[in-house]
């Protein structure tokens, strides 16, 4: 296994306050409402960025496995439906104007990057404004091989959804598990194309943009991507700096990033894929987050 590439950074920049987020206890996807920048300058402690090829290789393998199987039209329709749910959540929390609702702006950017028709996007926003009240929940679960899952749902019937999530987990080798949430942290994530960018250049970009880490991954067509991770409060700044550095930003937003990964063998990987696909098929499920890493 190739040794991780380490790069030590000491930079002079104004410190940003801890994320002054508006997240409710159920952790909806929502950016911080405001962040105060200190007027004093100081030298922060040195920090280390690393990109580990072996870890990324396993993560890439899992990214290929977990993409939706089946006819492309069906997968496309389901993806748009999930985007509609995300738009509904964002509008509910911050209004329908993307200029005033940064979370909605990030989601709309993702919709456009996935070629969701403008008419469908506009219809989803208008529908969200008139939608009946619904509640968000985050189910914590454990899956095959000990992997951890967070299942984000939007529902108008809490009891029905709880029973359905529990049934799907039990049927597919999983179970509800309090405490899984602690293995994930909310991070800002900016995604750019990774073609023709070396590991060293990726780390340089992360440093120059103020990101805390950078990870290699792939999209559903196996095209290389780079994910720049940062504090929630720094998301817009990192995104803007990457664009200034000439990078094409494919998407940006807030995600649950695992603190540690669970390496799975092929059998457990297949079982986990079936479970996650079953959960995603549930109409009330918005997204499923996991900490899975495939064995290289």
């Amino acid at each position: 296994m190739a040794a991780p590439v380490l790069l030590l950074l000491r930079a002079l920049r104004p410190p940003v306050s801890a994320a002054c987020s508006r997240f409710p206890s159920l952790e909806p996807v929502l950016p911080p409402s405001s962040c105060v920048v200190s007027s004093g300058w100081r030298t922060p402690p040195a920090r280390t960025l690393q990109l580990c090829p072996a870890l990324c290789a396993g993560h890439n393998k899992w990214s290929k496995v977990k993409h939706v199987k089946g006819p492309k039209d069906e997968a496309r329709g389901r993806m748009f439906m999930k985007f509609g749910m995300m738009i509904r959540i964002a509008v509910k929390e911050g209004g329908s104007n993307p200029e005033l609702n940064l979370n909605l702006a990030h989601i709309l950017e993702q919709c456009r990057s996935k070629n969701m028709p403008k008419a469908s996007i506009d219809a989803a926003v208008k529908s969200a404004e008139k939608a009946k009240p619904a509640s968000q929940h985050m189910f914590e679960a454990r899956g095959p091989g000990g992997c951890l899952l967070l299942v984000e749902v939007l529902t108008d019937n809490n009891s029905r959804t709880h029973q359905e999530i529990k049934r799907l987990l039990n049927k597919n080798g999983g179970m509800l598990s309090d405490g899984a949430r602690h293995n994930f942290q909310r991070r800002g994530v900016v995604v750019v194309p990774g073609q023709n960018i070396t590991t060293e250049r990726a780390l340089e970009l992360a440093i120059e943009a103020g990101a805390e880490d950078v990870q290699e991954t792939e999209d559903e067509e196996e095209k290389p991507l780079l994910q720049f991770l940062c504090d929630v409060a720094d998301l817009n700044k990192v995104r803007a700096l990457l664009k200034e550095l000439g990078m094409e930003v494919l998407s940006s937003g807030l995600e649950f990033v695992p603190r540690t990964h669970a390496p799975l063998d092929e059998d457990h990987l297949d079982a986990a894929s079936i479970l996650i696909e079953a959960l995603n098929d549930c109409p009330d499920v918005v997204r499923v987050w996991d900490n899975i890493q495939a064995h290289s």
Side-chain angles (χ1 to χ4, degrees):
M1 181 180 69
V5 179
L6 299 179
L7 192 59
L8 192 62
L9 165 70
R10 184 180 295 272
L12 289 175
R13 59 188 179 98
V16 181
S17 64
C20 31
S21 65
R22 297 187 287 140
F23 299 150
S25 58
L26 295 175
E27 299 288 343
V29 181
L30 196 66
S33 58
S34 63
C35 294
V36 180
V37 179
S38 169
S39 59
W41 287 71
R42 62 181 176 83
T43 303
R47 62 186 174 89
T48 301
L49 291 178
Q50 68 174 25
L51 189 152
C52 178
L55 173 60
C56 294
H59 188 72
N60 285 351
K61 184 178 178 181
W62 167 236
S63 71
K64 299 173 189 176
V65 172
K66 71 177 180 180
H67 285 308
V68 179
K69 300 182 179 68
K72 288 187 176 181
D73 288 344
E74 180 182 344
R76 179 181 172 89
R78 185 169 67 178
M79 178 178 65
F80 290 168
M81 181 186 71
K82 300 300 183 184
F83 275 137
M85 297 174 72
M86 293 164 63
I87 289 172
R88 184 177 174 185
I89 291 173
V91 169
K92 173 187 172 185
E93 297 294 338
S96 60
N97 186 347
E99 294 183 1
L100 302 176
N101 185 343
L102 294 179
N103 185 46
L104 177 61
H106 292 314
I107 293 171
L108 296 183
E109 182 181 53
Q110 292 177 46
C111 292
R112 289 188 287 268
S113 73
K114 295 298 183 180
N115 299 316
M116 185 173 179
K118 184 178 185 301
S120 298
I121 295 174
D122 293 341
V125 174
K126 291 180 180 179
S127 175
E129 293 176 316
K130 303 174 183 178
K132 295 180 180 179
S135 58
Q136 283 175 264
H137 291 278
M138 189 72 75
F139 291 98
E140 302 172 87
R142 186 175 296 274
C147 65
L148 300 177
L149 307 174
L150 295 182
V151 185
E152 183 182 6
V153 304
L154 181 68
T155 179
D156 56 6
N157 188 321
N158 295 335
S159 178
R160 178 200 67 208
T161 301
H162 180 273
Q163 291 302 317
E164 179 63 8
I165 296 299
K166 185 176 180 181
R167 183 187 72 81
L168 290 171
L169 287 168
N170 292 339
K171 179 181 178 181
N172 294 283
M175 66 180 73
L176 292 173
S177 177
D178 290 339
R181 168 69 181 84
H182 299 303
N183 191 64
F184 296 82
Q185 58 183 152
R186 181 70 85 183
R187 309 295 290 162
V189 180
V190 183
V191 181
V192 306
Q195 294 96 329
N196 303 319
I197 298 180
T198 65
T199 297
E200 290 76 12
R201 180 54 183 158
L203 291 170
E204 289 174 359
L205 287 168
I207 292 168
E208 293 176 34
E212 297 179 0
D213 199 0
V214 57
Q215 297 178 351
E216 292 175 327
T217 185
E218 293 177 336
D219 63 13
E220 58 270 19
E221 297 178 355
E222 300 186 15
K223 295 179 180 178
L225 301 173
L226 291 175
Q227 294 182 326
F228 292 87
L229 309 183
C230 62
D231 189 88
V232 169
D234 294 336
L235 176 60
N236 289 328
K237 181 186 69 175
V238 171
R239 180 184 185 279
L241 287 173
L242 283 170
K243 292 188 73 173
E244 288 181 12
L245 291 167
M247 302 305 299
E248 176 192 358
V249 174
L250 299 177
S251 67
S252 60
L254 305 179
E255 299 185 11
F256 282 107
V257 178
R259 299 176 188 273
T260 59
H261 289 83
L264 301 185
D265 59 27
E266 186 173 352
D267 289 341
H268 284 138
L269 202 64
D270 290 341
S273 180
I274 292 171
L275 169 59
I276 291 175
E277 188 169 350
L279 289 168
N280 277 318
D281 281 339
C282 177
D284 293 338
V285 171
V286 181
R287 279 174 295 187
V288 179
W289 312 91
D290 67 75
N291 74 332
I292 296 171
Q293 176 189 344
H295 278 304
S296 300

